[in-house]
Amino acid sequence: MSELNTSYMGIPLANPVVIAASTLSADLNTIKKAEDVGAGALVIRSIFEEQIRHEVGEMEDALSTGSEAYAEALSYLPMLEHAGAREHLMWVEKAREAVKMPLIGSVNAVSGGKWVDYAKQLADTGIDALELNTYAVEADMTRSSADVEHGLYQMFEAVSDAIDLPIAVKLSPFYSSISNVVAELESRGAKGVVLFNRFLQPDINVETEQIENSMNWSRREDARLPLRWTALLYGRVNLDIIGNTGIEEPEDIIKFILAGATAVQVAGSLYRKGIDHVAQLIAGLESWMVAKGYNDLSAFRGKVSQKDVEANLLNYERAQYVGFILSQKA
Ligand SMILES: Cc1cc2nc3c(=O)[nH]c(=O)nc-3n(C[C@H](O)[C@H](O)[C@H](O)COP(=O)(O)O)c2cc1C
């Protein structure tokens, strides 16, 4: 027997397999099943800033004053009419009553404002932690990288001043200095970073000559980007590093822990294989640990991080790239 328990931003988890924010949490039976099959914790799907602003009337105010951006937003987001922020709070409360496993709330925010009060109400539902889902496509040419990062820190501080729960930031992989952003967030009190948020990329249909928005599911290879950053950050920050994207098999979880992750989050593979797959992920992790003689996760966490192995120093940065490119034969 090996011990699988871990601490997630100070919250004790039975194991490191966390259900990522997604519509998997839109059904109470799935949430209960996730607990039954042993999930360490579950992140409830995000409430979006647009939903909150719509409900507090900000969107309508903006519309009546002729703001084109909001008029456009509403025409693209008709579901806002039916997806209220209050309903979401009630949903989180219901989920809280239904299960004992740790629950993490998630807010997708792109600016400051009244929604910070909403984050407070969300915190009062009995969730154990909050995740800030920072999904934003930064296309404004007048905003520098420093402006974008500053906006992120301001948003984090606004929420962290308002609530007492541990907060993780689910980061975009598109910052030019991820290490610096993580260090800045830590210095402001972030207790965890989720590496990374997965952006849905629109496609173009050549028949209709229109944008096509279809789901682009992750593949296992997509885990390599967060894996590298987990390994680069481990031991250099004290906050928890949570691996996310492309986790499909127990081996993928093991890699993240070897790189230094505290836990992992899984979504896509559970849509494909069913929520029961959580049990196989946990069982596979445990049998690997038993075979290797590891009593607990800390026995191998970070073993293949950049910090802990001299040879990895260059490998996680440029050497592997240069070496590999130069060694390829036509
Ligand atoms: C259908 C679906 C809904 C999602 N909803 C959210 C969400 O509400 N908030 C969020 O932060 N991420 C959301 N995600 C992203 C996942 O949490 C996760 O970061 C992403 O799918 C990568 O993990 P995976 O490779 O295991 O799928 C969603 C993903 C899917 C597939």
Side-chain angles (χ1 to χ4, degrees):
M1 277 277 288
S2 298
E3 292 292 333
L4 298 188
N5 60 305
T6 189
S7 159
Y8 190 97
M9 303 196 287
I11 306 156
L13 303 195
N15 67 71
V17 183
V18 175
I19 315 282
S22 65
T23 47
L24 289 166
S25 55
D27 174 42
L28 270 191
N29 285 330
T30 311
I31 298 179
K32 285 184 193 156
K33 190 138 190 226
E35 180 169 70
D36 291 345
V37 296
L42 177 139
V43 187
I44 297 172
R45 67 172 162 166
S46 306
I47 177 87
F48 292 86
E49 184 177 321
E50 287 85 348
Q51 288 170 272
I52 301 165
R53 290 164 74 104
H54 181 57
E55 194 149 299
V56 297
E58 281 187 13
M59 299 277 276
E60 286 86 344
D61 291 351
L63 273 171
S64 63
T65 55
S67 158
E68 279 176 25
Y70 283 119
E72 211 179 320
L74 212 55
S75 72
Y76 285 125
L77 301 168
M79 71 290 289
L80 285 181
E81 299 289 350
H82 311 286
R86 250 170 257 128
E87 276 91 342
H88 187 81
L89 277 181
M90 274 151 50
W91 182 253
V92 177
E93 276 164 6
K94 266 194 189 160
R96 181 63 295 167
E97 280 162 22
V99 290
K100 293 203 167 49
M101 72 178 152
L103 290 178
I104 297 145
S106 167
V107 183
N108 173 254
V110 286
S111 64
K114 287 185 192 155
W115 65 266
V116 174
D117 292 335
Y118 185 85
K120 248 194 262 178
Q121 294 174 53
L122 195 58
D124 289 341
T125 58
I127 51 171
D128 299 274
L130 190 72
E131 190 170 287
L132 273 187
N133 159 11
T134 58
Y135 188 118
V137 178
E138 303 291 350
D140 179 350
M141 285 186 184
T142 65
R143 281 191 93 206
S144 69
S145 310
D147 292 340
V148 170
E149 288 165 18
H150 188 61
L152 172 69
Y153 306 146
Q154 273 187 324
M155 191 168 72
F156 175 82
E157 283 173 342
V159 182
S160 101
D161 286 349
I163 67 170
D164 282 334
L165 295 178
I167 304 173
V169 183
K170 190 173 186 184
L171 279 179
S172 152
F174 303 125
Y175 292 102
S176 43
S177 176
I178 288 171
S179 300
N180 179 256
V181 168
V182 172
E184 290 289 337
L185 285 169
E186 177 170 51
S187 74
R188 287 167 169 80
K191 295 285 183 273
V193 279
V194 181
L195 307 180
F196 288 106
N197 213 339
R198 183 170 169 79
F199 286 22
L200 297 183
Q201 312 294 2
D203 200 0
I204 292 178
N205 183 319
V206 295
E207 284 309 317
T208 61
E209 300 178 26
Q210 307 236 331
I211 287 184
E212 200 165 74
N213 284 314
S214 56
M215 188 69 201
N216 52 331
W217 296 98
S218 63
R219 295 157 305 159
R220 283 181 84 185
E221 305 87 270
D222 295 332
R224 291 196 188 179
L225 179 70
L227 191 64
R228 162 181 262 169
W229 280 104
T230 300
L232 283 167
L233 289 167
Y234 177 76
R236 300 200 160 87
V237 282
N238 291 316
L239 47 64
D240 285 344
I241 304 166
I242 299 136
N244 178 304
T245 309
I247 292 166
E248 182 113 26
E249 298 299 336
E251 197 185 348
D252 305 323
I253 300 174
I254 295 162
K255 289 180 190 179
F256 268 103
I257 298 171
L258 283 167
T262 301
V264 295
Q265 291 187 356
V266 191
S269 64
L270 305 181
Y271 282 88
R272 290 188 289 278
K273 301 187 174 192
I275 201 85
D276 296 7
H277 186 55
V278 169
Q280 282 147 41
L281 292 175
I282 297 166
L285 167 64
E286 187 172 13
S287 38
W288 180 85
M289 286 169 66
V290 170
K292 290 277 186 176
Y294 291 130
N295 291 331
D296 57 35
L297 300 177
S298 66
F300 65 101
R301 178 175 290 124
K303 199 173 169 188
V304 195
S305 62
Q306 188 195 45
K307 177 185 151 283
D308 281 11
V309 186
E310 191 70 19
N312 292 342
L313 196 68
L314 292 171
N315 251 322
Y316 276 121
E317 291 183 17
R318 261 176 70 83
Q320 151 256 25
Y321 168 69
V322 177
F324 185 77
I325 297 289
L326 294 181
S327 68
Q328 291 308 293
K329 304 226 166 25

